[in-house]
Amino acid sequence: TAPTYVLEESLSSQRLWRDTAGNRPPQPEEERQFYEKMWAQNFARSQVNYNQPMKDLAAAAPISLNPFADGVFGETTGTPDDYNQLQQPDQGGTVTEGHEGDAVTEAAIFSRLHQQNEESISGEKVPGSKSDGDLTVVLRGPNGFGTTVSKSFARSTDNGAAIVGVDTVNISIASYRVVESKKYGKYAQFLVIYREGSIRDTVGVWKRYRDFEELSNKVTQAHDGCAAVIASVSPLAMTEEPETEHLPNAITSWRLLKKRKRWYRCLDAGYLSLKVFLLERFLHDILFESSSPKLLRDFVLGPESRGPSM
């Protein structure tokens, strides 16, 4: 799947990455570590104002980027690694090896993971919609208690006559951010990660609270309309059952979120950390109770989309 910084971009940029850089083979882990160390040194010596925290610019990848690194499959040839040689000191120096090196690596990983769970203040510029113009990111934060859930749906022919396959849908909210535009001022956005099909079809879309509110209206209006029809039907009448999905758990999740909602536009980091978790639970309940991924697909990609191909 695409890295997070790609999923934060527009759908057209994600499609470009998938067709170009997404087709490249994984970078060897030793090579990646070598260049990360070089970048960190360059950033430390640089006098350029990047409008980003130094810990983000010089951060190393917390996990292995290449699952097929040397030594995982087959025998090693014993050929010395150029990158490892370049990182070792001259003869007489001290080289961190064995358990000590593992402890240093583990400490670096946990340090990075701890940094990812903290809200960060950023002044970077990001492109917005046509109406918003360029946006300034004021605050970023992760969904600390979030998780990705999945459900498989039967894929049938156009006339619904036969099942021809199974589509797996994943959805989550990875993070939130507070942005500022000249036209609308400050407001919060939530990064919805959606996958329908293969892992390469994963996309990310920034959504505002009003987008979730529109989705909740579709869910609650369908429920209220169905309840009204059922109440007006005679027990002895022979009528067709309306083709409306009942999503009671999703409605309950939305009502719980509304009870937690604060007046006006609250952009406090603590409140947004709770809000992003409750919004994700609302999406999870829709996924679990739906008989088709259409409702979530339309929410993420738009009503004109037929699948995750964008």
Side-chain angles (χ1 to χ4, degrees), residues 231-261:
S232 62
V233 171
S234 171
L236 302 178
M238 300 295 294
T239 57
E240 294 185 0
E241 183 178 351
E243 296 182 0
T244 304
E245 287 197 296
H246 309 282
L247 310 177
N249 289 336
I251 295 174
T252 301
S253 293
W254 183 255
R255 288 173 179 171
L256 291 174
L257 186 149
K258 294 284 285 185
K259 289 183 179 180
R260 294 276 188 170
K261 185 180 177 182

Side-chain angles (χ1 to χ4, degrees), residues 170-213:
N170 293 2
I171 195 164
S172 63
I173 302 181
S175 60
Y176 67 86
R177 70 182 183 185
V178 177
V179 297
E180 183 175 10
S181 69
K182 295 181 179 179
K183 186 175 182 180
Y184 297 107
K186 295 181 181 181
Y187 56 88
Q189 292 181 321
F190 306 90
L191 182 59
V192 179
I193 307 297
Y194 178 82
R195 174 172 76 89
E196 181 178 347
S198 68
I199 194 171
R200 287 180 53 82
D201 294 323
T202 304
V203 297
V205 180
W206 288 103
K207 294 290 186 178
R208 296 184 61 175
Y209 174 78
R210 65 185 182 190
D211 299 318
F212 290 91
E213 202 166 28

Side-chain angles (χ1 to χ4, degrees), residues 84-100:
N84 290 334
Q85 286 183 346
L86 288 173
Q87 295 181 78
Q88 292 177 356
D90 297 334
Q91 293 182 357
T94 302
V95 180
T96 303
E97 295 180 348
H99 296 291
E100 184 180 353

Side-chain angles (χ1 to χ4, degrees), residues 1-2 7 14 17-19 22-23 148 150-153 155 165-171 193-204 301 307-310:
T1 182
L7 296 177
Q14 295 178 47
W17 181 92
R18 189 179 60 186
D19 296 339
N23 291 320
T148 301
S150 62
K151 180 180 177 180
S152 296
F153 297 89
R155 187 190 333 126
V166 175
D167 288 328
T168 301
V169 175
N170 293 2
I171 195 164
I193 307 297
Y194 178 82
R195 174 172 76 89
E196 181 178 347
S198 68
I199 194 171
R200 287 180 53 82
D201 294 323
T202 304
V203 297
L301 303 176
S309 60
M310 294 181 288

Side-chain angles (χ1 to χ4, degrees), residues 40-41 79 116 132 134 163 165 187 198 203 209 247 299:
Q41 293 174 350
T79 304
Q116 290 179 341
D132 291 345
D134 290 339
I163 297 177
Y187 56 88
S198 68
V203 297
Y209 174 78
L247 310 177
F299 169 69

